[in-house]
Amino acid sequence: MYNLFISLRYLRSRKISFFAIAGVAVGVMTLIVVLSVMNGFDRELRSRIRGTLAHIIILKGGMYGLEDYKQVIEKVKTVEHVIACAPYVEGPALIKLRNRREFVYFKGIDPLAESRVSDFQSYIAPFGSRPEDLLITHGEKNIASIFGGSELFRIGPGEPEKDPGSFIQNGEQVVLVTLKEWDKISVKAFEVVGKFKSGMYDFDKNYVYIPLSVAQELTGAKEKDAVSGISVKLDDYHYANEVRDKLQATLGFEYYVQTWEDARKTFLTAVMMERHVMALILFFILVVAGFNILAILTMIVLEKSRDIGILKALGSTTRGIMSIFLLHGLLIGSTGACLGVAAGLTIVLRINWLENVLYHTTGWRPFPPEVYYFNQIPTVVSPMSIAITAAIAIFCSVIFSIYPALRAARLDPVVTLRYE
């Protein structure tokens, strides 16, 4: 019991110990804030990527892709957990917007079916558009309709919902130029009937939606009644891998069946690696705090060698002397971890308020929405991550206390008390 009493006394009397506590607290706080923000970004990115794709995508090689797509859809619908399917035609094109030309990808869809497998309807709803608007034809020439990404249609600064004049207006005509049957060129005019905003800059900058039948004409797949792929929605994404394998076995290996995570595997892996590397780099803050503890406890051992000699002369064991300094390190780590968790959670829960205060005070915004495409900084507080971070901080504090504890335990009371 005396070892705990002495450890607490050293902790209270040695003000330098508070610097060690502060070092651990800063390390824990930084890790919690950064990991919460990174987890939030990961969740939002996954949500927005998932919104542009379906749970499962079915593709097939060849010039025309799935020529028998209606039969494939009937087979797919018989598989358990499948609740909706939507065919699509996708390809590159050159688009003429007023006096500029852009390279884009067009996606020919059945808008009603697409609304059942992706977030297409929620992308166009803020602009007062409906999925069926894409099926409207215009004028005597029956010009087809087109939806364009908000960033692709941008002609000035501002938000599409608040500053419609900064974007190409409904009723304007645009022209798509595409390849047809690999050796011909298709040129077709479209009339703008709306914009969409997915929250993914690359998608909003590089994609347009057109009717499925028109896309088939542009690519030369109309005669074959072919599509590029089929989007599939499940009742629960947890069954995605199981359903993917069933569909692959049912359709055969000439088809490519993949989940949306398979389709974006490289990007998702890069985000995951970035999160892990960031955590590893920030972990070294705790290592620096650990060296700080080592230096402080070593200095205390040197200053208190006389006291240690007296304790040994009074009968304290080597293990008892070690436990004093190990407990001291444990108290520093525990106190610092608790303060760091409290500070980290406070910052995470108020991070958007803090960003607004910083922005209105200095004019600088750490997470500008036009760059990151988030209206607010996304955060996800993971109790498991917090517990692991606090445990690592305490563990490091104890580990770095071992050397000074061993040094104190090996002091010879005869030598330390010789001149007393």
Side-chain angles (χ1 to χ4, degrees), residues 39-327:
N39 288 336
F41 269 76
D42 181 65
R43 183 192 64 181
E44 287 296 319
L45 284 173
R46 284 176 171 271
S47 174
R48 295 186 181 192
I49 293 173
R50 198 344 248 124
T52 63
L53 300 171
H55 289 158
I56 290 178
I57 304 163
I58 301 173
L59 306 171
K60 187 179 180 183
M63 178 180 293
Y64 296 106
L66 284 83
E67 298 181 18
D68 53 347
Y69 80 91
K70 292 180 181 178
Q71 298 177 11
V72 174
I73 288 177
E74 292 302 318
K75 288 183 180 179
V76 171
K77 287 181 177 179
T78 62
V79 176
E80 189 179 6
H81 301 298
V82 173
I83 59 174
C85 297
Y88 67 89
V89 173
E90 189 174 37
L94 188 68
I95 189 170
K96 181 182 179 183
L97 305 166
R98 293 189 177 179
N99 294 321
R100 80 177 200 268
R101 293 167 178 81
E102 301 276 354
F103 179 80
V104 297
Y105 288 93
F106 66 88
K107 188 169 184 178
I109 60 171
D110 176 343
L112 300 179
E114 185 70 20
S115 298
R116 292 191 288 267
V117 300
S118 72
D119 293 341
F120 170 67
Q121 186 168 358
S122 65
Y123 294 164
I124 62 176
F127 309 106
S129 300
R130 301 170 302 166
E132 52 267 30
D133 292 343
L134 190 63
L135 301 177
I136 298 174
T137 56
H138 308 271
E140 296 179 358
K141 296 182 178 180
N142 292 324
I143 297 175
S145 300
I146 188 171
F147 281 113
S150 57
E151 294 303 316
L152 177 65
F153 282 0
R154 180 184 293 278
I155 55 177
E159 291 295 320
E161 299 91 337
K162 300 176 182 178
D163 306 289
S166 296
F167 299 83
I168 288 177
Q169 302 295 303
N170 292 355
E172 293 191 37
Q173 286 195 7
V174 300
V175 177
L176 278 184
V177 181
T178 65
L179 285 176
K180 183 177 183 178
E181 299 178 354
W182 303 107
D183 58 352
K184 301 176 184 177
I185 294 177
S186 293
V187 180
K188 191 169 184 63
F190 293 83
E191 184 168 315
V192 176
V193 293
K195 299 180 288 293
F196 66 84
K197 183 178 179 181
S198 69
M200 291 292 295
Y201 179 84
D202 287 344
F203 193 79
D204 294 347
K205 176 67 175 175
N206 298 308
Y207 268 83
V208 294
Y209 284 110
I210 61 176
L212 178 64
S213 59
V214 177
Q216 289 176 313
E217 291 177 5
L218 287 174
T219 58
K222 183 69 172 178
E223 295 78 8
K224 301 289 185 179
D225 195 22
V227 296
S228 303
I230 299 171
S231 300
V232 180
K233 185 176 182 180
L234 310 180
D235 55 7
D236 190 337
Y237 184 71
H238 288 98
Y239 299 106
N241 291 336
E242 177 187 337
V243 174
R244 176 197 62 194
D245 296 339
K246 284 184 180 179
L247 288 174
Q248 189 71 74
T250 301
L251 299 176
F253 288 98
E254 68 269 23
Y255 294 87
Y256 305 100
V257 184
Q258 55 187 351
T259 66
W260 73 266
E261 289 180 302
D262 295 332
R264 296 293 184 268
K265 185 176 181 179
T266 302
F267 177 76
L268 294 176
T269 302
V271 172
M272 181 185 67
M273 288 297 297
E274 182 179 356
R275 190 168 74 251
H276 290 169
V277 170
M278 186 72 71
L280 180 63
I281 292 172
L282 293 175
F283 166 74
F284 285 100
I285 297 178
L286 295 179
V287 175
V288 172
F291 277 108
N292 192 22
I293 292 171
L294 186 149
I296 290 171
L297 292 185
T298 302
M299 185 178 65
I300 292 175
V301 169
L302 294 175
E303 290 183 357
K304 299 296 183 179
S305 57
R306 173 177 170 273
D307 296 349
I308 295 169
I310 293 173
L311 286 172
K312 281 204 163 188
L314 292 174
S316 293
T317 63
T318 298
R319 181 176 294 180
I321 297 298
M322 281 191 64
S323 65
I324 292 173
F325 293 94
L326 290 176
L327 280 171

